[in-house]
Amino acid sequence: MKRSEVNYNDLSPMMQQYMDIKKDYEDVLLFFRLGDFYELFFEDAEVTSRELELTLTGKNAGLKERVPMCGVPHHSAKGYIEKLVNKSYKVALVEQLEDPKNTKGMVKRGVVQVFSKGTIVDLEYLDSKNSNYIGSVSDEINEYLITYADISTGELYSEALIHDKDKLINEIINLNLKEVLITNDFDISLLNILKNNYNINITISDKLLEDKYSNCYRNINDDRVIKGIKHLFYYLSVIELNDLDHMNEVKIVKRDNYLNMDVHTIRNLELFETLRLKERQYSLIWLLDKTKTAMGARTLKNMLMHPLKDIKLINERLDIVEKLNNEFLHRENLRNNLYEVYDLERLCGKVICGSLNARDLLQIKRSLSVLPNIIDIVKSLGFDYEISDHRELYELLEKSIYEEPPITIKEGYLIKTGYNSELDELKELRCGGKEFISTLEQAEREKTGISNLKVGFNKVFGYYIEVSRGQLDKVKDEYGWERRQTLTNAERFITPTLKEKEALVLNAEERIIDLEYNLFMEIKSKVKEAIGELKKTAYILSLLDVYASLSIVSEEYKLIRPNLVSERNVLIKDGFHPVVECVSKFEYVKNDIIMDESINTLLITGPNMSGKSTYMRQFAITIILAQMGSFVPASSATLPIFDSIFTRIGASDDLVGGESTFMVEMLEARNAIVNATANSLILFDELGRGTATFDGLSIAQSILEYVDSNIKCKTMFSTHYHELTSLENNHSTIKNVHVEAVDNDGVITFLHKVCDGAVDKSYGIHVASLAKMPDSVIRRASEILNIYESDKSKKEIVERSEQISFTFENKESEVEKELKNIDIMKITPIDAINILYKLQDKLKK
Ligand code: ADP
């Protein structure tokens, strides 16, 4: 049964209420609270029962048929919601908004919280090492504008992009936006790509949030930027019901300030995950990340994503890393202190829009406790960072928050004794209650002579004196006890004194919980006031963490400080690929990369598997590391500043959908050619191999000539087309290099050494045999190759004169057949020996 097909007027009042709420939350799964359950109806129930493997039942809703329904207990809803959000659904919680005791008729219900991928603030559901961005995208005719925010930390950015669909998609993927908000008139094809190819949550909304949180754009004059923020904020605060008081002032991102890398480059170079397994392990960030805090890990990722172009700024970063290298004792001390720092940024976010508890406040306190040490270290290092010690806040938390609080803030045990006198008095009363119980018990036992008499207290019946059935005759009327409750083996009584006491103690417990809650909220609001300063501190700590991490990495992997120059000179001595070097079982062969002003292109030849693409990748990674402010893998490195890196390496995902491998290869090559400037770096790995030999060769040559003569940027071009190596003769800007391999009587050894000049052999057949291709296929390939090599003009296929009879090694041999046919249970030991002898004899022959 579909929701759209039912007649509203036929529905029960409860279901009408459901329908009223649901119409504002069309694309959200509505968890409708009824008693101890959240229930879902109609299509929501169908989807949820399928996704969570719950039973789909029905509910009477006034119609002839029952409406589809499924439900989850409210106390375990969190886990279910998390699963749905991970699967890219949005979930809204509908709760009772008034107390049923004080209401006649239907209780008012409404949405109190919305969960979606881009707006999670609970630390336990967030990936601590990654930002969690949600963005709004608008089409401004000449430009696209992306406004994006991480509401767990309060970061807010605005970025304008040229009006190019691929670039927009590229940026959305690079930023890893979890949710994208667009307006109704947005290009539908783009929307589909984002949704279908990249599984990004898309929401359509046209409304803007006026007159609220305008602090976030108080210094902005550009109306488009303001509109973008209002668009995003409407969704976040009105639809998703988030408090945005903690959002930072918007930062305008100028892409031009950073080294530009597209999605392919980031993937091909395995900056954040490996190509094959899509895992962080063995990626560049995996190698670089020795940070001690989650904030540091995120900032490091951000820096790797955005290497700089300004030599001065890069050198400032390198100075800090160098200083930390020289002052390693301070560095170790700094890292030990940073180890005590929790995710302050996200804790600040939680103060505003999450369910902050006392444990979070303790984490803030512990983080603040190391600030005086960190300030001292920073001073000793001579760094120019102003860090507040937040003493006032620290002391407040130190004297107020109880050291072992529960997760909830509605059960008490949040506030330390000594912080509030009223609370202390109430606590004494509560304790007095317990003391009172044992004193009374003692006294009553003595008075009545009932040795197993018990005095107790429970929340339903209050105080009682319990006497076992066998002792009941000892209870005398003169005591004035009233019967309160009968149990199987005992009777419970109450006395007037107990009643009085009961009122006081019961009250104390409740009042303690209320008071602790109120005190907690007061402390929380003091933390809230300090959030601006806390965030500044958090950011500086994250930077210090990153620099300390870069310093450790430079020491561990023997990296050196690059020398950045404004000329177009590349001079890398003994360079290496840091991840391959770290992971490989074999010794890494270090290589120079030398491209002075006069050289634009290195044309790299060499056998497959010899290390051509590793050599190219190592160059790009060296540049990225240098420009992000890290030391680099080499014994010395002089490098110019690059504006972009374009790569065409290996197979890659298809951005537009449905294109052939060769088409994708060409699209990526075009992207490089169209966008590269003289200051870019292009890496082309075996360009043209996706099509027929002569086709590929012609395209490769023409692209190579175009890049070398027109764009004139630094380019590395690896190829199997040996014909291309003759280009060096007529182009002084092209230089041949090759990766060496030696052939000792057919046994090929890869030396991984890059030397000047070209090779004229590709050893493809050798690699095929390394891959354990059947011997007969290898033999035949060598035979064909010999014919082609002896007659270079030969273009038609070399046919085999006699009948081809490949003997594949995986065909069953005679010996194997015989072995299989033996019935072991029917032969004697002597037969077995004889058969074995015969088989071995056969094999020997
Ligand atoms: P190609 O691009 O020539 O086919 P790759 O660059 O993919 O070859 O390298 C193949 C393998 O050789 C790499 O996975 C790596 O393990 C190893 N390798 C590459 N370069 C080196 C080197 N300089 N020193 C040691 N091993 C290397």
Side-chain angles (χ1 to χ4, degrees):
M1 189 194 310
K2 290 205 169 91
R3 187 165 50 89
S4 56
E5 289 167 358
V6 298
N7 187 352
Y8 181 85
N9 295 325
D10 295 343
L11 291 168
S12 63
M14 192 282 293
M15 198 47 81
Q16 285 185 347
Q17 188 184 44
Y18 170 83
M19 297 291 260
D20 293 340
I21 300 172
K22 179 71 190 172
K23 74 174 183 313
D24 294 329
Y25 290 89
E26 284 292 341
D27 61 341
V28 181
L29 300 172
L30 219 62
F31 274 48
F32 197 80
R33 177 75 178 264
L34 288 168
D36 281 342
F37 277 79
Y38 285 111
E39 295 187 356
L40 294 104
F41 306 111
F42 298 105
E43 290 87 345
D44 282 6
E46 280 159 14
V47 170
T48 306
S49 63
R50 194 180 60 233
E51 295 288 2
L52 301 179
E53 293 174 17
L54 300 171
T55 318
L56 184 69
T57 58
K59 187 168 189 91
N60 254 331
L63 306 175
K64 276 194 206 116
E65 262 181 78
R66 285 156 38 107
V67 305
M69 187 270 274
C70 73
V72 299
H74 92 273
H75 57 82
S76 56
K78 229 176 168 185
Y80 291 111
I81 295 171
E82 188 197 341
K83 276 192 197 148
L84 290 168
V85 169
N86 269 339
K87 291 178 178 227
S88 295
Y89 291 101
K90 287 188 237 172
V91 173
L93 291 188
V94 178
E95 298 280 1
Q96 293 180 345
L97 299 180
E98 45 190 17
D99 191 339
K101 277 186 245 143
N102 312 325
T103 330
K104 276 195 203 133
M106 273 300 274
V107 187
K108 219 168 135 191
R109 289 188 174 82
V111 172
V112 292
Q113 204 174 354
V114 183
F115 300 88
S116 68
K117 246 188 185 171
T119 53
I120 311 168
V121 285
D122 273 350
L123 268 63
E124 54 270 40
Y125 300 140
L126 284 164
D127 174 357
S128 64
K129 289 184 185 289
N130 284 309
S131 298
N132 197 51
Y133 292 130
I134 174 166
S136 126
V137 180
S138 60
D139 189 339
E140 303 292 336
I141 303 172
N142 296 324
E143 286 179 330
Y144 286 116
L145 191 81
I146 311 185
T147 313
Y148 58 99
D150 182 339
I151 72 163
S152 70
T153 61
E155 295 157 77
L156 175 65
Y157 303 95
S158 169
E159 178 183 348
L161 292 175
I162 62 165
H163 203 271
D164 176 325
K165 272 190 209 173
D166 283 345
K167 288 225 160 66
L168 177 64
I169 295 175
N170 192 63
E171 193 61 12
I172 290 174
I173 310 301
N174 276 353
L175 288 171
N176 197 9
L177 296 189
K178 297 284 178 356
E179 267 187 272
V180 172
L181 195 64
I182 50 171
T183 47
N184 250 311
D185 53 5
F186 201 78
D187 182 347
I188 187 95
S189 65
L190 251 169
L191 186 157
N192 287 335
I193 292 173
L194 290 173
K195 219 173 171 168
N196 303 334
N197 296 15
Y198 296 101
N199 194 21
I200 291 176
N201 266 16
I202 306 280
T203 303
I204 302 175
S205 146
D206 281 336
K207 298 218 175 103
L208 306 179
L209 183 76
E210 299 295 346
D211 310 323
K212 222 176 160 196
Y213 309 119
S214 54
N215 257 354
C216 291
Y217 46 86
R218 62 179 164 216
N219 295 316
I220 301 291
N221 300 320
D222 187 337
D223 285 343
R224 297 169 319 158
V225 174
I226 296 175
K227 201 177 100 204
I229 298 173
K230 288 178 173 176
H231 186 222
L232 182 63
F233 278 15
Y234 183 86
Y235 175 75
L236 292 176
S237 71
V238 180
I239 311 270
E240 295 241 333
L241 306 167
N242 290 298
D243 186 340
L244 302 176
D245 269 338
H246 67 305
M247 296 306 287
N248 300 348
E249 209 177 327
V250 63
K251 264 194 206 152
I252 306 291
V253 179
K254 293 219 165 59
R255 197 60 31 212
D256 269 0
N257 293 344
Y258 305 108
L259 171 73
N260 170 48
M261 299 180 279
D262 62 10
V263 180
H264 313 296
T265 302
I266 288 170
R267 284 199 186 148
N268 286 332
L269 298 177
E270 304 189 310
L271 297 189
F272 302 109
E273 58 182 28
T274 51
L275 276 169
R276 270 204 311 154
L277 297 179
K278 307 248 173 287
E279 282 175 357
R280 183 180 158 96
Q281 192 177 24
Y282 304 139
S283 68
L284 186 60
I285 191 85
W286 164 80
L287 186 99
L288 289 184
D289 191 354
K290 309 274 185 223
T291 56
K292 294 283 188 189
T293 67
M295 309 180 287
R298 292 195 297 270
T299 306
L300 177 72
K301 185 173 176 197
N302 203 313
M303 281 190 183
L304 180 57
M305 189 79 177
H306 300 111
L308 303 172
K309 279 173 25 187
D310 182 325
I311 292 194
K312 190 167 160 278
L313 294 180
I314 299 172
N315 275 324
E316 280 172 16
R317 289 185 182 177
L318 290 170
D319 287 343
I320 299 177
V321 178
E322 188 168 355
K323 182 83 184 173
L324 287 166
N325 279 359
N326 296 335
E327 304 275 358
F328 55 90
L329 285 180
H330 283 318
R331 181 190 66 200
E332 284 320 300
N333 200 356
L334 176 64
R335 295 182 83 225
N336 290 340
N337 279 288
L338 285 170
Y339 186 63
E340 305 294 323
V341 175
Y342 289 82
D343 197 340
L344 265 185
E345 266 175 349
R346 284 189 167 157
L347 285 165
C348 285
K350 222 176 159 191
V351 172
I352 305 294
C353 62
S355 43
L356 189 88
N357 60 28
R359 293 183 186 182
D360 296 323
L361 288 186
L362 283 182
Q363 292 195 349
I364 294 182
K365 184 189 90 177
R366 287 180 197 139
S367 309
L368 300 184
S369 73
V370 292
L371 287 179
N373 299 345
I374 293 182
I375 292 170
D376 280 350
I377 300 166
V378 167
K379 250 191 222 144
S380 313
L381 286 163
F383 291 162
D384 194 14
Y385 290 118
E386 286 273 336
I387 310 174
S388 156
D389 63 5
H390 299 275
R391 269 315 80 177
E392 221 176 286
L393 184 58
Y394 171 76
E395 271 150 26
L396 169 68
L397 297 176
E398 170 61 17
K399 68 177 184 231
S400 62
I401 303 296
Y402 180 61
E403 285 297 339
E404 281 168 16
I407 293 178
T408 72
I409 52 173
K410 293 196 172 143
E411 286 174 8
Y413 297 96
L414 307 173
I415 306 292
K416 271 185 182 168
T417 305
Y419 177 65
N420 178 285
S421 53
E422 189 188 343
L423 180 66
D424 292 349
E425 277 167 29
L426 284 169
K427 279 184 187 166
E428 247 177 63
L429 188 61
R430 180 171 64 185
C431 283
K434 280 183 192 137
E435 247 179 63
F436 163 81
I437 286 179
S438 59
T439 326
L440 184 74
E441 193 172 80
Q442 202 49 42
E444 292 293 335
R445 279 181 186 173
E446 279 165 23
K447 184 169 102 187
T448 57
I450 306 173
S451 58
N452 61 355
L453 173 149
K454 274 190 233 151
V455 177
F457 176 84
N458 73 36
K459 281 195 177 160
V460 186
F461 292 103
Y463 278 110
Y464 56 82
I465 297 175
E466 188 178 299
V467 179
S468 62
R469 206 152 284 290
Q471 304 281 321
L472 274 180
D473 54 343
K474 293 190 181 155
V475 177
K476 302 197 176 116
D477 286 349
E478 64 203 61
Y479 297 159
W481 293 4
E482 266 176 53
R483 265 173 214 275
R484 183 159 240 195
Q485 199 191 356
T486 305
L487 308 177
T488 335
N489 296 321
E491 203 70 36
R492 285 180 174 176
F493 300 91
I494 178 93
T495 71
T497 347
L498 274 183
K499 268 193 192 159
E500 252 171 59
K501 192 75 190 172
E502 192 173 281
L504 267 178
V505 174
L506 267 182
N507 227 334
E509 189 70 37
E510 253 169 53
R511 280 168 61 201
I512 286 173
I513 290 178
D514 278 356
L515 184 57
E516 289 213 27
Y517 178 81
N518 290 338
L519 290 171
F520 180 83
M521 290 320 243
E522 258 174 38
I523 298 164
K524 178 174 163 176
S525 71
K526 297 229 170 79
V527 179
K528 205 167 157 180
E529 283 165 24
I531 271 189
E533 277 303 307
L534 271 179
K535 281 207 224 168
K536 275 189 209 154
T537 305
Y539 180 62
I540 297 174
L541 295 183
S542 77
L543 285 179
L544 289 170
D545 197 11
V546 169
Y547 292 128
S549 172
L550 290 178
S551 163
I552 288 285
V553 169
S554 74
E555 204 170 82
E556 208 162 295
Y557 300 104
K558 303 203 170 39
L559 313 185
I560 52 96
R561 180 174 179 150
N563 174 27
L564 296 157
V565 293
S566 42
E567 304 84 49
R568 282 172 14 97
N569 260 335
V570 176
L571 180 58
I572 300 173
K573 298 294 276 177
D574 307 315
F576 57 98
H577 188 305
V579 181
V580 178
E581 202 252 6
C582 161
V583 172
S584 172
K585 287 187 246 102
F586 305 103
E587 175 124 5
Y588 195 95
V589 179
K590 298 190 171 164
N591 280 307
D592 300 344
I593 301 177
I594 301 170
M595 293 170 95
D596 60 27
E597 290 257 18
S598 65
I599 298 296
N600 293 340
T601 308
L602 286 188
L603 189 64
I604 310 166
T605 44
N608 270 315
M609 293 287 293
S610 62
K612 297 184 298 299
S613 45
T614 306
Y615 184 62
M616 300 207 284
R617 286 194 171 99
Q618 117 187 8
F619 185 25
I621 283 175
T622 303
I623 290 164
I624 294 167
L625 286 174
Q627 291 189 213
M628 78 178 273
S630 159
F631 281 23
V632 297
S635 63
S636 74
T638 299
L639 294 167
I641 296 289
F642 288 87
D643 61 7
S644 304
I645 298 180
F646 298 96
T647 57
R648 170 62 268 222
I649 304 179
S652 68
D653 287 348
D654 171 7
L655 260 193
V656 194
E659 309 289 3
S660 71
T661 313
F662 182 62
M663 184 60 174
V664 176
E665 196 180 337
M666 288 299 103
L667 283 172
E668 287 180 23
R670 175 196 161 269
N671 179 41
I673 293 173
V674 172
N675 293 304
T677 72
N679 294 321
S680 305
L681 168 70
I682 298 183
L683 304 180
F684 280 149
D685 189 22
E686 295 178 31
L687 199 70
R689 68 173 159 184
T691 185
T693 313
F694 291 101
D695 240 13
L697 170 60
S698 326
I699 290 167
Q701 180 171 345
S702 114
I703 291 179
L704 176 55
E705 286 171 353
Y706 180 86
V707 171
D708 189 72
S709 323
N710 289 38
I711 304 175
K712 301 190 169 77
C713 64
K714 299 286 184 209
T715 304
M716 279 189 167
F717 201 106
S718 80
T719 189
H720 284 306
Y721 301 125
H722 299 292
E723 294 82 349
L724 292 181
T725 54
S726 60
L727 286 172
E728 186 189 51
N729 304 334
N730 301 325
H731 294 72
S732 62
T733 46
I734 298 180
K735 185 176 164 206
N736 285 330
V737 293
H738 70 280
V739 194
E740 260 194 329
V742 284
D743 182 350
N744 275 335
D745 291 336
V747 179
I748 315 285
T749 314
F750 296 139
L751 300 179
H752 303 303
K753 192 75 198 161
V754 179
C755 306
D756 285 357
V759 284
D760 56 359
K761 251 179 129 176
S762 71
Y763 304 95
I765 294 176
H766 172 72
V767 175
S769 88
L770 281 184
K772 304 234 177 329
M773 193 73 84
D775 278 349
S776 46
V777 171
I778 301 288
R779 274 198 304 277
R780 172 68 178 143
S782 309
E783 205 176 293
I784 301 171
L785 181 68
N786 278 339
I787 302 174
Y788 276 128
E789 281 186 343
S790 58
D791 183 2
K792 294 237 159 137
S793 62
K794 194 160 185 99
K795 292 208 177 93
E796 70 276 12
I797 192 88
V798 180
E799 287 287 0
R800 203 178 158 110
S801 40
E802 73 270 30
Q803 187 64 33
I804 302 173
S805 66
F806 290 116
T807 50
F808 284 99
E809 279 61 17
N810 55 1
K811 220 171 121 194
E812 200 171 290
S813 69
E814 222 177 292
V815 173
E816 281 171 304
K817 249 190 229 159
E818 273 183 46
L819 260 174
K820 250 192 208 160
N821 290 335
I822 299 171
D823 187 346
I824 294 176
M825 302 313 284
K826 287 194 183 148
I827 57 172
T828 63
I830 290 289
D831 288 344
I833 289 282
N834 283 335
I835 294 171
L836 189 61
Y837 179 81
K838 214 169 79 192
L839 289 178
Q840 199 185 46
D841 198 40
K842 247 184 205 171
L843 276 180
K844 277 185 186 157
K845 277 180 195 158

